[in-house]
Amino acid sequence: MAWLLVVVAGFLETGFAVCLKLSHGFTRLWPTVAFAIFALGSFGLLTLSLKKLDVGPAYAVWTGIGAAGTAVYGMVFLGDVVSTLKIISISLVIVGVIGLQLSGSSQ
């Protein structure tokens, strides 16, 4: 259950990163509100998961999901440049996240 919280928190991290861009420096109301909601949810779930998990693997999985998710979202929806090297790098992040999750505590 704790790992599920980390995964959901990672997806919420993607949400707050995207909303941070869309807020244009906190000058647009609704993306700023969405940023705050996603950020609070993400940090809240990560905090709950850390009651059961080791901080290193949990934090790495959280940031890995957030980073990969944000990069993919940017390429698909925001017009970020797509390249073979980016796709390979995102794939390596995902493989690393899986490896860290498997190496973490068993809760």
Side-chain angles (χ1 to χ4, degrees), residues 38-52:
F38 282 127
L40 287 171
S42 181
F43 284 111
L45 292 178
L46 180 63
T47 299
L48 290 174
S49 72
L50 290 177
K51 291 180 179 181
K52 300 277 185 184

Side-chain angles (χ1 to χ4, degrees), residues 3 11 16 18 20 37 52 54 68 70 72-73 77 89 95-96 102:
W3 279 114
F11 285 115
F16 83 67
V18 170
L20 187 61
I37 292 168
K52 300 277 185 184
D54 294 336
T70 303
V72 169
Y73 188 94
F77 297 107
S89 298
V95 168
L102 294 174

Side-chain angles (χ1 to χ4, degrees), residues 15-30:
F16 83 67
V18 170
C19 288
L20 187 61
K21 175 168 178 63
L22 297 176
S23 77
H24 290 263
F26 300 124
T27 61
R28 293 186 175 164
L29 177 62
W30 295 115

